[in-house]
Amino acid sequence: MKYLFLILLTTAFSCQRNVDKAAATVKPTSTDSIPKNRYLKIISDPANKLESNIQTLELQYTLWGCASADWIEVTDAARFRDSGFLAHHIFIEPANADLNFEDSFFQFEKENIVVTGQFYEKEDYPQGTVKLEESLAKAKVFRYTKIRFVKKPAL
């Protein structure tokens, strides 16, 4: 055991001695030339256009164990509970940062949201969505301009 420790200790110090001194003295350049999000790839389509039809939807949140669209219309949740449930889920995105409620105390088990806005023409991802390690299926995207929270009806 004593010899194993000595071998490991010697190896650790010998590796440090072989470091190129020129490389060790190079100072990093300014970080201004390095893109801030150089590893992020945006997968949403910036050319996807909004439909002209303005709608108001009552949506409930579905907690999944995987990356997927999380919102479904309350009427669709009841109608497709046994078949096609996942296929009827949508993404939502706020029209501006003031409407973002991700940091609020939204209680998905007690509340639904009522949003007014428009769907995008093609199935896609919310604008600015970046590629994740887990694959993410496209779905309808609803861009809302108004939002309010409503209590779920008692069961």
Side-chain angles (χ1 to χ4, degrees), residues 7-140:
I7 292 170
L8 290 174
L9 188 61
T10 305
T11 305
F13 283 115
S14 66
C15 291
Q16 286 184 353
R17 275 188 266 141
N18 292 331
V19 172
D20 182 6
K21 290 184 182 181
T25 59
V26 173
K27 294 183 180 171
T29 59
S30 169
T31 58
D32 295 340
S33 63
I34 300 172
K36 299 234 184 295
N37 292 324
R38 66 180 172 185
Y39 299 111
L40 300 180
K41 178 182 177 194
I42 295 181
I43 58 175
S44 56
D45 180 4
N48 200 356
K49 306 273 187 235
L50 290 170
E51 295 176 348
S52 60
N53 187 22
I54 296 174
Q55 303 178 51
T56 299
L57 310 173
E58 183 174 350
L59 303 173
Q60 75 179 40
Y61 183 81
T62 303
L63 183 61
W64 299 107
C66 60
S68 64
D70 296 328
W71 297 93
I72 188 167
E73 287 188 69
V74 171
T75 55
D76 286 347
R79 190 171 36 180
F80 298 106
R81 176 72 57 198
D82 297 326
S83 176
F85 188 64
L86 178 60
H88 288 86
H89 278 71
I90 66 172
F91 292 111
I92 62 171
E93 73 174 30
N96 62 58
D98 294 337
L99 296 170
N100 193 349
F101 67 96
E102 288 180 359
D103 295 332
S104 70
F105 292 104
F106 170 68
Q107 299 175 334
F108 68 89
E109 69 279 356
K110 295 180 182 177
E111 295 176 309
N112 290 331
I113 60 173
V114 176
V115 288
T116 301
Q118 300 155 283
F119 279 104
Y120 282 95
E121 292 175 349
K122 300 183 298 186
E123 285 190 352
D124 197 17
Y125 310 103
Q127 294 297 314
T129 300
V130 295
K131 183 174 177 140
L132 304 171
E133 287 183 25
E134 186 176 353
S135 66
L136 181 63
K138 290 182 178 182
K140 292 174 72 176

